[in-house]
Amino acid sequence: MTTVARASKILNTRIMENDLVTYYIGYDLNDDGEMVYRLNEFISYLINIIPEFAFGFHQGTKTSNDEIVNKIYQAAKSIYKIKEFREVSDLYLTGQELEDDIEIDKKYLKRGEFGEIILHFILKNFHGTVPLISKVYFKDSYGHAVHGFDSVHINELDRTLWLGESKLYTDGKKGLLALIEDLKEHFKRDYLNDEFTIISNRLKDTEPNEKVDYWLSLLDTTTKLADQLNQIVIPLICTYSCDLFNQHSDERNDDFIQAYENEIKKLKKYFDDNYDHPLKGHLNIIVILFPVKSKVDLVKGLHKKLVIMQNLGE
């Protein structure tokens, strides 16, 4: 079974439109015959891609049996070298959590809540993309990350560059507003040029080939902004707490499906009503809505698993 097929067994896809895609975790029977939310299964599957997320594809896609444990340990260690992940782990594992409306000077901590990894998982398994660079490797090797985008992926079939943003919020509307603010900040000429220069410098360290040359040409500062935007897809994922999963216990139930679709429509309309970028007509945006039963339980569960991975090398 392919990884894509396995991912499809963990996440349900309800809506798949040009500018809107939705995913959600379903339910399954436990040993007592009760329907339970499959959060633990999703966390276990998601944690498996940590090495891939941390190292990217430049180190190959296969690991020998005698290197597996060390690879897992090194991946977890590299994640916790990032200040945001380390500090958020300390918060959640001591019974604290991050509110949506945290102070301005603490907003950077939101980057330690796994939104980037969830985005990576969904893009790779459901949209056929692969990372152009590994942000974690880039940070570890060069002293700083590509700070502007939460994903820098490519789709090799249609030669599109996927520059993604992610938010993990308790309130879906607040998460969407934060994504809109990211759009305003990141998608303007000077900012893109700065980020593309950083990405290009990383690509120049790889072995030259026709594929690399294509991306270097697209990212070059002499390329027209209009031509660049024509080849860029912007996936915006908002993972948020949704009370529907406390009110229902079976995703196949008609009442759940109707309530879910109504919720999604309201959120998409909220995004559309508040999205006011000057380049709006030139940005190819896909809103990805991923409601979960509890954002807090998701983040806490992922950090618990990541700590275990890190302890394998102790």
Side-chain angles (χ1 to χ4, degrees):
M1 185 183 298
T2 65
T3 56
V4 174
R6 292 187 66 219
S8 299
K9 288 179 175 290
I10 299 293
L11 284 190
N12 296 288
T13 306
R14 185 68 202 169
I15 299 172
M16 183 74 77
E17 299 174 354
N18 289 333
D19 64 343
L20 174 65
V21 182
T22 68
Y23 301 95
Y24 61 93
I25 302 167
Y27 305 84
D28 197 9
L29 290 168
N30 65 10
D31 291 340
D32 296 322
E34 303 168 331
M35 295 293 284
V36 294
Y37 188 63
R38 300 182 70 196
L39 178 64
N40 290 335
E41 288 95 328
F42 177 68
I43 289 174
S44 295
Y45 193 92
L46 193 63
I47 212 73
N48 284 327
I49 71 166
I50 292 294
E52 171 188 293
F53 175 78
F55 299 124
F57 290 84
H58 63 280
Q59 293 188 4
T61 57
K62 295 182 180 180
T63 303
S64 60
N65 289 341
D66 59 352
E67 285 292 322
I68 289 176
V69 172
N70 184 59
K71 190 77 172 279
I72 292 171
Y73 160 67
Q74 292 295 340
K77 184 179 177 183
S78 70
I79 295 291
Y80 278 137
K81 280 184 180 179
I82 301 173
K83 182 179 180 181
E84 296 94 323
F85 279 96
R86 191 169 61 250
E87 292 190 8
V88 168
S89 177
D90 291 341
L91 279 173
Y92 276 89
L93 297 184
T94 56
Q96 305 174 70
E97 60 188 73
L98 290 177
E99 301 294 336
D100 289 341
D101 297 322
I102 55 177
E103 317 90 274
I104 296 296
D105 62 340
K106 292 287 185 71
K107 281 191 175 181
Y108 75 94
L109 287 175
K110 284 287 182 183
R111 289 190 175 275
E113 289 195 309
F114 294 105
E116 298 176 15
I117 298 175
I118 294 171
L119 177 60
H120 170 91
F121 167 81
I122 286 178
L123 292 184
K124 177 176 177 284
N125 287 289
F126 295 95
H127 297 272
T129 70
V130 294
L132 181 61
I133 60 170
S134 165
K135 290 184 62 178
V136 177
Y137 174 81
F138 195 93
K139 181 183 180 70
D140 198 25
S141 300
Y142 290 81
H144 61 281
V146 182
H147 56 278
F149 307 108
D150 290 339
S151 72
V152 182
H153 280 222
I154 57 173
N155 186 307
E156 295 181 299
L157 291 179
D158 58 16
R159 289 194 161 187
T160 49
L161 176 65
W162 291 57
L163 301 178
E165 303 284 1
S166 64
K167 298 298 174 191
L168 210 56
Y169 273 62
T170 301
D171 186 316
K173 289 183 177 179
K174 291 179 180 178
L176 290 175
L177 289 178
L179 286 169
I180 290 171
E181 287 304 308
D182 280 351
L183 280 175
K184 292 178 180 178
E185 179 183 349
H186 298 164
F187 285 88
K188 46 191 177 185
R189 185 69 194 185
D190 289 344
Y191 196 97
L192 287 172
N193 278 339
D194 289 344
E195 294 300 308
F196 289 169
T197 298
I198 296 172
I199 297 169
S200 296
N201 288 339
R202 170 67 187 100
L203 288 176
K204 290 173 183 176
D205 290 341
T206 63
E207 184 176 342
N209 59 64
E210 183 181 344
K211 291 181 180 179
V212 171
D213 289 344
Y214 172 80
W215 298 113
L216 287 174
S217 176
L218 178 66
L219 300 176
D220 193 88
T221 56
T222 61
T223 303
K224 291 181 179 180
L225 177 61
D227 292 337
Q228 289 175 329
L229 293 179
N230 192 48
Q231 293 300 116
I232 292 174
V233 179
I234 308 167
L236 304 175
I237 184 169
C238 180
T239 305
Y240 65 97
S241 297
C242 178
D243 201 43
L244 288 178
F245 299 100
N246 293 312
Q247 300 169 2
H248 301 270
S249 59
D250 191 340
E251 75 270 23
R252 299 165 298 180
N253 183 284
D254 289 342
D255 289 340
F256 170 83
I257 292 173
Q258 183 176 351
Y260 176 85
E261 291 182 347
N262 288 340
E263 158 109 357
I264 294 300
K265 289 176 182 176
K266 289 178 181 177
L267 279 178
K268 181 56 165 61
K269 184 178 186 305
Y270 184 81
F271 176 86
D272 291 340
D273 289 345
N274 287 277
Y275 170 40
D276 57 347
H277 196 289
L279 295 172
K280 184 174 181 177
H282 303 276
L283 301 182
N284 182 13
I285 290 173
I286 302 175
V287 176
I288 303 174
L289 295 177
F290 182 20
V292 295
K293 188 172 184 179
S294 169
K295 165 244 178 175
V296 172
D297 290 344
L298 172 59
V299 175
K300 187 183 295 184
L302 285 166
H303 275 294
K304 285 182 178 179
K305 291 281 189 181
L306 198 59
V307 168
I308 292 173
M309 290 172 63
Q310 184 178 242
N311 289 339
L312 289 174
E314 300 298 331

